[in-house]
Amino acid sequence: MVTISDVAKLAHVSKMTVSRVINHPEQVSDDLKKLVYDAMEKLNYVPNYAARALVSNRTQVIKFLILEEMDTTEPYYMNLLAGIAKELDRNYYSFQLVTRKSMDIGQCDGMIATGVRSYDYDTILKEFSKPIILFGQSDRGYDFIDVDNEKGMRLTTRHVVSLGFEKIYFFGIDLQEPFMSARLKGYLDTVNSYGLPNYLYRMKNSSRVAERNAKEILSNWKEKCAFVCASDRIALGVIRAAQSLQLQIPDQVAVTGFDGVFLDRISSPHITTIRQPVVEMGEACARMLLKKIQEDGKSQGHRFFEPELLVRPSTVHV
Amino acid sequence: MVTISDVAKLAHVSKMTVSRVINHPEQVSDDLKKLVYDAMEKLNYVPNYAARALVSNRTQVIKFLILEEMDTTEPYYMNLLAGIAKELDRNYYSFQLVTRKSMDIGQCDGMIATGVRSYDYDTILKEFSKPIILFGQSDRGYDFIDVDNEKGMRLTTRHVVSLGFEKIYFFGIDLQEPFMSARLKGYLDTVNSYGLPNYLYRMKNSSRVAERNAKEILSNWKEKCAFVCASDRIALGVIRAAQSLQLQIPDQVAVTGFDGVFLDRISSPHITTIRQPVVEMGEACARMLLKKIQEDGKSQGHRFFEPELLVRPSTVHV
DNA sequence: TTAAATTTTGTTACCGCTAACATGAACATA
DNA sequence: TATGTTCATGTTAGCGGTAACAAAATTTAA
């Protein structure tokens, strides 16, 4: 293994100068810097992060806490994880994937938490003293990253309005959480602004439940209608309901989802949905957390990502 | 932060004795051991893994290399990851999620690789000098973990035979890899053993492609037939094809999948499939890798997990 | 009883790196 | 020329832990 001492020897400088070149290059003269860089290159030097972690009293580990039941949300998280991983790699951090049960195991420099529900604040999050970033909007003053949920739902609702639908059902998730309130608001504001009536339904985020509910509504179908759903999973159920009742998609029934991760493309027909740039959001989470760690826990605020409407055959003919 | 020295002071012993209690307790007398344990408890001592990593020249990091396109396989990997994470947590290891591009970034003590194809051996794997475990069977002498693919396919094929189907299509994935050969063999051996003809199709692992192929076959449907598919994704396509042709599932057309992760339950009807115990397999991967690291790279052989047939409405009435 | 062997415990040095301080050179000021 | 002031570089010590050796305590053998 090549160490800082090897580099120092080859460059005929002290270890400290090499260390400075790496961490505070502005303090070193250009001549020496060049010598050191050349030596590093020649020896293929790679810093030892365990040593650095030891001296700076850090771990180079961050935790990713998933508080939701994972199998209801899997495909979504894999992308998020990929984004987080990408940014962490770049900074020589590694991560631990933890759940409620395993979150206390081992040390870390900070945490990204997702699937946080109201009741988690007092139990899980309060205990945690290291920097933390939430994935998913929060109204408790925590730093977070999320897509602009309200705007996303405005986009889908406006989309079906523009297609001439006047009976527009909202199929939401039965959670009293900020992201759902925002999506609901996006729907309500839009139908109100067009002077259309609203039809609110809230249910478990499950394709079967959505299928059942949609079937009931559609069983005595009379006029064309649209379902704007709070998730692709729910949209999937609605599509199946319409198909089993032999209703034409998208002419008699139009359906929109939310997320744009995986399920929208598994469905047939593909689902018009709001794409969340999940990978980029993962990167942003990691970046924000690393910055927060570096700045000694200073609050980083929040950031909403721009939602993107993907128009697909569940609302329009190709 | 509580260190080994704090414990030593409280227990009135040397640092070394504390270290020994942790790593080689058999070398310490019971009296001192008790003193040390009490002190550790009282102070809530947690070892510093960066320090340990430094002195033992390890990183406490393992990499998880995904060589497949991730969005074709996401749901599967999330579970695998969960399993790996669980076992690593227990051993105070963290991990890095890497791809072809990022695999050289940072150090590690070993790697778990998945989605490995024939051409990867000479390019990616040969370069890597640390212990490595493959997820997915291999015929190149690498240590690996997989489900018993051959047996899994025997189970689904035998299942549809037992339901009275005599025309049984095999919808495989167009990859010349050991796992596919094994699944194919499981199908062929079974139909042969019953004196039934075989019908082989191989295609991209995509529900759309499968849908198209199945539609062609089913468009002039005459007799009841079954499709044993090499993935749930392909099975999903076949089910959609049958439904769009108004064929009754499971009476006129029966369908089985493979994997039992996520997609089997997204489908309607749910898919009869082979459940792979993916979480446990992930744990096993991690355990095997840690053992290999500990034993200085010694070969660990391989392990096949038992596949489990899940019977669902895509082959039988509920 | 005493030397030798064995077990238990302590001391030292070092893993690779960096903060804090020490030194020395270059330049400005009086 | 003597005396600060900067700036660039080197020296020292220590982060928390463990291997290797040394010393002390105990057991065994003669």
PDB file of all heavy atoms in Angstrom, chain A residues 167-188:
ATOM      1  N   LYS A 167     -65.344  15.095 -15.304  1.00  0.00           N
ATOM      2  CA  LYS A 167     -65.551  14.333 -14.079  1.00  0.00           C
ATOM      3  C   LYS A 167     -64.204  13.722 -13.718  1.00  0.00           C
ATOM      4  O   LYS A 167     -63.732  12.785 -14.373  1.00  0.00           O
ATOM      5  CB  LYS A 167     -66.582  13.249 -14.330  1.00  0.00           C
ATOM      6  CG  LYS A 167     -66.973  12.472 -13.100  1.00  0.00           C
ATOM      7  CD  LYS A 167     -68.344  11.853 -13.246  1.00  0.00           C
ATOM      8  CE  LYS A 167     -68.932  11.538 -11.871  1.00  0.00           C
ATOM      9  NZ  LYS A 167     -70.337  11.147 -11.963  1.00  0.00           N
ATOM     10  N   ILE A 168     -63.572  14.291 -12.711  1.00  0.00           N
ATOM     11  CA  ILE A 168     -62.200  13.882 -12.393  1.00  0.00           C
ATOM     12  C   ILE A 168     -62.103  13.405 -10.954  1.00  0.00           C
ATOM     13  O   ILE A 168     -62.249  14.189 -10.016  1.00  0.00           O
ATOM     14  CB  ILE A 168     -61.220  15.055 -12.625  1.00  0.00           C
ATOM     15  CG1 ILE A 168     -61.331  15.532 -14.082  1.00  0.00           C
ATOM     16  CG2 ILE A 168     -59.798  14.631 -12.311  1.00  0.00           C
ATOM     17  CD1 ILE A 168     -60.550  16.779 -14.381  1.00  0.00           C
ATOM     18  N   TYR A 169     -61.871  12.123 -10.796  1.00  0.00           N
ATOM     19  CA  TYR A 169     -61.733  11.535  -9.465  1.00  0.00           C
ATOM     20  C   TYR A 169     -60.302  11.681  -8.960  1.00  0.00           C
ATOM     21  O   TYR A 169     -59.352  11.522  -9.728  1.00  0.00           O
ATOM     22  CB  TYR A 169     -62.068  10.050  -9.498  1.00  0.00           C
ATOM     23  CG  TYR A 169     -63.517   9.745  -9.835  1.00  0.00           C
ATOM     24  CD1 TYR A 169     -63.905   9.484 -11.147  1.00  0.00           C
ATOM     25  CD2 TYR A 169     -64.483   9.696  -8.829  1.00  0.00           C
ATOM     26  CE1 TYR A 169     -65.223   9.199 -11.451  1.00  0.00           C
ATOM     27  CE2 TYR A 169     -65.804   9.408  -9.137  1.00  0.00           C
ATOM     28  CZ  TYR A 169     -66.173   9.162 -10.445  1.00  0.00           C
ATOM     29  OH  TYR A 169     -67.472   8.875 -10.742  1.00  0.00           O
ATOM     30  N   PHE A 170     -60.191  11.926  -7.681  1.00  0.00           N
ATOM     31  CA  PHE A 170     -58.867  11.922  -7.046  1.00  0.00           C
ATOM     32  C   PHE A 170     -58.738  10.648  -6.219  1.00  0.00           C
ATOM     33  O   PHE A 170     -59.542  10.427  -5.303  1.00  0.00           O
ATOM     34  CB  PHE A 170     -58.713  13.150  -6.152  1.00  0.00           C
ATOM     35  CG  PHE A 170     -57.412  13.192  -5.406  1.00  0.00           C
ATOM     36  CD1 PHE A 170     -56.237  13.572  -6.036  1.00  0.00           C
ATOM     37  CD2 PHE A 170     -57.360  12.850  -4.049  1.00  0.00           C
ATOM     38  CE1 PHE A 170     -55.039  13.617  -5.338  1.00  0.00           C
ATOM     39  CE2 PHE A 170     -56.159  12.895  -3.349  1.00  0.00           C
ATOM     40  CZ  PHE A 170     -54.994  13.282  -4.003  1.00  0.00           C
ATOM     41  N   PHE A 171     -57.795   9.820  -6.555  1.00  0.00           N
ATOM     42  CA  PHE A 171     -57.534   8.601  -5.776  1.00  0.00           C
ATOM     43  C   PHE A 171     -56.238   8.814  -4.984  1.00  0.00           C
ATOM     44  O   PHE A 171     -55.141   8.684  -5.532  1.00  0.00           O
ATOM     45  CB  PHE A 171     -57.403   7.381  -6.699  1.00  0.00           C
ATOM     46  CG  PHE A 171     -58.685   6.591  -6.836  1.00  0.00           C
ATOM     47  CD1 PHE A 171     -59.922   7.224  -6.786  1.00  0.00           C
ATOM     48  CD2 PHE A 171     -58.652   5.207  -7.010  1.00  0.00           C
ATOM     49  CE1 PHE A 171     -61.109   6.495  -6.909  1.00  0.00           C
ATOM     50  CE2 PHE A 171     -59.836   4.478  -7.141  1.00  0.00           C
ATOM     51  CZ  PHE A 171     -61.059   5.120  -7.089  1.00  0.00           C
ATOM     52  N   GLY A 172     -56.391   9.157  -3.724  1.00  0.00           N
ATOM     53  CA  GLY A 172     -55.221   9.459  -2.907  1.00  0.00           C
ATOM     54  C   GLY A 172     -54.843   8.322  -1.974  1.00  0.00           C
ATOM     55  O   GLY A 172     -55.496   7.277  -1.949  1.00  0.00           O
ATOM     56  N   ILE A 173     -53.779   8.558  -1.239  1.00  0.00           N
ATOM     57  CA  ILE A 173     -53.323   7.576  -0.251  1.00  0.00           C
ATOM     58  C   ILE A 173     -53.813   8.035   1.118  1.00  0.00           C
ATOM     59  O   ILE A 173     -53.788   9.238   1.411  1.00  0.00           O
ATOM     60  CB  ILE A 173     -51.781   7.475  -0.263  1.00  0.00           C
ATOM     61  CG1 ILE A 173     -51.292   7.074  -1.663  1.00  0.00           C
ATOM     62  CG2 ILE A 173     -51.296   6.480   0.773  1.00  0.00           C
ATOM     63  CD1 ILE A 173     -49.790   7.147  -1.843  1.00  0.00           C
ATOM     64  N   ASP A 174     -54.240   7.101   1.945  1.00  0.00           N
ATOM     65  CA  ASP A 174     -54.849   7.495   3.220  1.00  0.00           C
ATOM     66  C   ASP A 174     -53.812   7.778   4.302  1.00  0.00           C
ATOM     67  O   ASP A 174     -53.797   7.144   5.351  1.00  0.00           O
ATOM     68  CB  ASP A 174     -55.829   6.419   3.687  1.00  0.00           C
ATOM     69  CG  ASP A 174     -55.164   5.064   3.814  1.00  0.00           C
ATOM     70  OD1 ASP A 174     -53.968   4.966   3.476  1.00  0.00           O
ATOM     71  OD2 ASP A 174     -55.837   4.130   4.250  1.00  0.00           O
ATOM     72  N   LEU A 175     -52.943   8.724   4.004  1.00  0.00           N
ATOM     73  CA  LEU A 175     -51.949   9.127   4.997  1.00  0.00           C
ATOM     74  C   LEU A 175     -52.073  10.624   5.234  1.00  0.00           C
ATOM     75  O   LEU A 175     -52.181  11.401   4.288  1.00  0.00           O
ATOM     76  CB  LEU A 175     -50.540   8.824   4.479  1.00  0.00           C
ATOM     77  CG  LEU A 175     -50.118   7.369   4.439  1.00  0.00           C
ATOM     78  CD1 LEU A 175     -48.795   7.224   3.695  1.00  0.00           C
ATOM     79  CD2 LEU A 175     -49.986   6.812   5.858  1.00  0.00           C
ATOM     80  N   GLN A 176     -52.063  11.020   6.490  1.00  0.00           N
ATOM     81  CA  GLN A 176     -52.118  12.451   6.811  1.00  0.00           C
ATOM     82  C   GLN A 176     -50.694  12.980   6.872  1.00  0.00           C
ATOM     83  O   GLN A 176     -50.175  13.288   7.945  1.00  0.00           O
ATOM     84  CB  GLN A 176     -52.797  12.671   8.172  1.00  0.00           C
ATOM     85  CG  GLN A 176     -54.193  12.092   8.290  1.00  0.00           C
ATOM     86  CD  GLN A 176     -55.181  12.772   7.378  1.00  0.00           C
ATOM     87  OE1 GLN A 176     -55.042  13.962   7.100  1.00  0.00           O
ATOM     88  NE2 GLN A 176     -56.158  12.034   6.871  1.00  0.00           N
ATOM     89  N   GLU A 177     -50.059  13.015   5.708  1.00  0.00           N
ATOM     90  CA  GLU A 177     -48.682  13.482   5.681  1.00  0.00           C
ATOM     91  C   GLU A 177     -48.559  14.633   4.693  1.00  0.00           C
ATOM     92  O   GLU A 177     -49.350  14.729   3.754  1.00  0.00           O
ATOM     93  CB  GLU A 177     -47.741  12.344   5.273  1.00  0.00           C
ATOM     94  CG  GLU A 177     -47.796  11.115   6.168  1.00  0.00           C
ATOM     95  CD  GLU A 177     -47.274  11.394   7.580  1.00  0.00           C
ATOM     96  OE1 GLU A 177     -46.526  12.378   7.747  1.00  0.00           O
ATOM     97  OE2 GLU A 177     -47.619  10.629   8.497  1.00  0.00           O
ATOM     98  N   PRO A 178     -47.563  15.465   4.886  1.00  0.00           N
ATOM     99  CA  PRO A 178     -47.419  16.645   4.028  1.00  0.00           C
ATOM    100  C   PRO A 178     -47.434  16.341   2.537  1.00  0.00           C
ATOM    101  O   PRO A 178     -48.042  17.073   1.761  1.00  0.00           O
ATOM    102  CB  PRO A 178     -46.073  17.217   4.459  1.00  0.00           C
ATOM    103  CG  PRO A 178     -45.922  16.799   5.872  1.00  0.00           C
ATOM    104  CD  PRO A 178     -46.580  15.460   5.974  1.00  0.00           C
ATOM    105  N   PHE A 179     -46.767  15.271   2.130  1.00  0.00           N
ATOM    106  CA  PHE A 179     -46.718  15.022   0.681  1.00  0.00           C
ATOM    107  C   PHE A 179     -48.110  14.755   0.137  1.00  0.00           C
ATOM    108  O   PHE A 179     -48.442  15.170  -0.968  1.00  0.00           O
ATOM    109  CB  PHE A 179     -45.750  13.879   0.335  1.00  0.00           C
ATOM    110  CG  PHE A 179     -46.301  12.487   0.531  1.00  0.00           C
ATOM    111  CD1 PHE A 179     -46.831  11.785  -0.551  1.00  0.00           C
ATOM    112  CD2 PHE A 179     -46.290  11.887   1.770  1.00  0.00           C
ATOM    113  CE1 PHE A 179     -47.336  10.502  -0.386  1.00  0.00           C
ATOM    114  CE2 PHE A 179     -46.795  10.603   1.950  1.00  0.00           C
ATOM    115  CZ  PHE A 179     -47.323   9.913   0.872  1.00  0.00           C
ATOM    116  N   MET A 180     -48.961  14.118   0.944  1.00  0.00           N
ATOM    117  CA  MET A 180     -50.321  13.839   0.470  1.00  0.00           C
ATOM    118  C   MET A 180     -51.173  15.114   0.488  1.00  0.00           C
ATOM    119  O   MET A 180     -51.956  15.352  -0.429  1.00  0.00           O
ATOM    120  CB  MET A 180     -50.981  12.758   1.328  1.00  0.00           C
ATOM    121  CG  MET A 180     -50.931  11.374   0.717  1.00  0.00           C
ATOM    122  SD  MET A 180     -51.405  11.325  -1.035  1.00  0.00           S
ATOM    123  CE  MET A 180     -53.100  11.888  -0.912  1.00  0.00           C
ATOM    124  N   SER A 181     -51.016  15.904   1.504  1.00  0.00           N
ATOM    125  CA  SER A 181     -51.758  17.160   1.552  1.00  0.00           C
ATOM    126  C   SER A 181     -51.415  18.009   0.336  1.00  0.00           C
ATOM    127  O   SER A 181     -52.283  18.629  -0.278  1.00  0.00           O
ATOM    128  CB  SER A 181     -51.404  17.939   2.817  1.00  0.00           C
ATOM    129  OG  SER A 181     -51.488  17.089   3.936  1.00  0.00           O
ATOM    130  N   ALA A 182     -50.136  17.998  -0.018  1.00  0.00           N
ATOM    131  CA  ALA A 182     -49.706  18.795  -1.161  1.00  0.00           C
ATOM    132  C   ALA A 182     -50.327  18.268  -2.449  1.00  0.00           C
ATOM    133  O   ALA A 182     -50.793  19.036  -3.291  1.00  0.00           O
ATOM    134  CB  ALA A 182     -48.180  18.779  -1.259  1.00  0.00           C
ATOM    135  N   ARG A 183     -50.347  16.947  -2.584  1.00  0.00           N
ATOM    136  CA  ARG A 183     -50.920  16.392  -3.819  1.00  0.00           C
ATOM    137  C   ARG A 183     -52.423  16.671  -3.880  1.00  0.00           C
ATOM    138  O   ARG A 183     -52.962  17.021  -4.931  1.00  0.00           O
ATOM    139  CB  ARG A 183     -50.645  14.883  -3.900  1.00  0.00           C
ATOM    140  CG  ARG A 183     -49.164  14.594  -4.086  1.00  0.00           C
ATOM    141  CD  ARG A 183     -48.838  13.129  -4.299  1.00  0.00           C
ATOM    142  NE  ARG A 183     -47.386  12.928  -4.150  1.00  0.00           N
ATOM    143  CZ  ARG A 183     -46.770  11.765  -4.254  1.00  0.00           C
ATOM    144  NH1 ARG A 183     -47.456  10.661  -4.532  1.00  0.00           N
ATOM    145  NH2 ARG A 183     -45.463  11.692  -4.096  1.00  0.00           N
ATOM    146  N   LEU A 184     -53.043  16.545  -2.740  1.00  0.00           N
ATOM    147  CA  LEU A 184     -54.480  16.827  -2.687  1.00  0.00           C
ATOM    148  C   LEU A 184     -54.745  18.279  -3.064  1.00  0.00           C
ATOM    149  O   LEU A 184     -55.652  18.589  -3.855  1.00  0.00           O
ATOM    150  CB  LEU A 184     -55.003  16.541  -1.270  1.00  0.00           C
ATOM    151  CG  LEU A 184     -56.473  16.855  -1.019  1.00  0.00           C
ATOM    152  CD1 LEU A 184     -57.353  16.067  -1.985  1.00  0.00           C
ATOM    153  CD2 LEU A 184     -56.865  16.535   0.416  1.00  0.00           C
ATOM    154  N   LYS A 185     -53.944  19.158  -2.506  1.00  0.00           N
ATOM    155  CA  LYS A 185     -54.119  20.574  -2.787  1.00  0.00           C
ATOM    156  C   LYS A 185     -53.942  20.855  -4.282  1.00  0.00           C
ATOM    157  O   LYS A 185     -54.714  21.624  -4.881  1.00  0.00           O
ATOM    158  CB  LYS A 185     -53.101  21.381  -1.977  1.00  0.00           C
ATOM    159  CG  LYS A 185     -53.201  22.886  -2.149  1.00  0.00           C
ATOM    160  CD  LYS A 185     -52.450  23.608  -1.031  1.00  0.00           C
ATOM    161  CE  LYS A 185     -52.660  25.120  -1.075  1.00  0.00           C
ATOM    162  NZ  LYS A 185     -52.242  25.731  -2.348  1.00  0.00           N
ATOM    163  N   GLY A 186     -52.952  20.217  -4.890  1.00  0.00           N
ATOM    164  CA  GLY A 186     -52.728  20.389  -6.319  1.00  0.00           C
ATOM    165  C   GLY A 186     -53.959  20.009  -7.120  1.00  0.00           C
ATOM    166  O   GLY A 186     -54.354  20.713  -8.062  1.00  0.00           O
ATOM    167  N   TYR A 187     -54.592  18.937  -6.718  1.00  0.00           N
ATOM    168  CA  TYR A 187     -55.811  18.493  -7.408  1.00  0.00           C
ATOM    169  C   TYR A 187     -56.949  19.487  -7.185  1.00  0.00           C
ATOM    170  O   TYR A 187     -57.575  19.977  -8.133  1.00  0.00           O
ATOM    171  CB  TYR A 187     -56.206  17.102  -6.893  1.00  0.00           C
ATOM    172  CG  TYR A 187     -57.642  16.714  -7.186  1.00  0.00           C
ATOM    173  CD1 TYR A 187     -58.031  16.264  -8.456  1.00  0.00           C
ATOM    174  CD2 TYR A 187     -58.618  16.786  -6.191  1.00  0.00           C
ATOM    175  CE1 TYR A 187     -59.341  15.908  -8.725  1.00  0.00           C
ATOM    176  CE2 TYR A 187     -59.939  16.436  -6.442  1.00  0.00           C
ATOM    177  CZ  TYR A 187     -60.300  15.993  -7.713  1.00  0.00           C
ATOM    178  OH  TYR A 187     -61.592  15.657  -7.974  1.00  0.00           O
ATOM    179  N   LEU A 188     -57.186  19.802  -5.910  1.00  0.00           N
ATOM    180  CA  LEU A 188     -58.330  20.659  -5.576  1.00  0.00           C
ATOM    181  C   LEU A 188     -58.204  22.035  -6.213  1.00  0.00           C
ATOM    182  O   LEU A 188     -59.154  22.534  -6.836  1.00  0.00           O
ATOM    183  CB  LEU A 188     -58.454  20.796  -4.056  1.00  0.00           C
ATOM    184  CG  LEU A 188     -59.047  19.581  -3.334  1.00  0.00           C
ATOM    185  CD1 LEU A 188     -59.018  19.775  -1.829  1.00  0.00           C
ATOM    186  CD2 LEU A 188     -60.473  19.299  -3.822  1.00  0.00           C
TER     187      LEU A 188
END
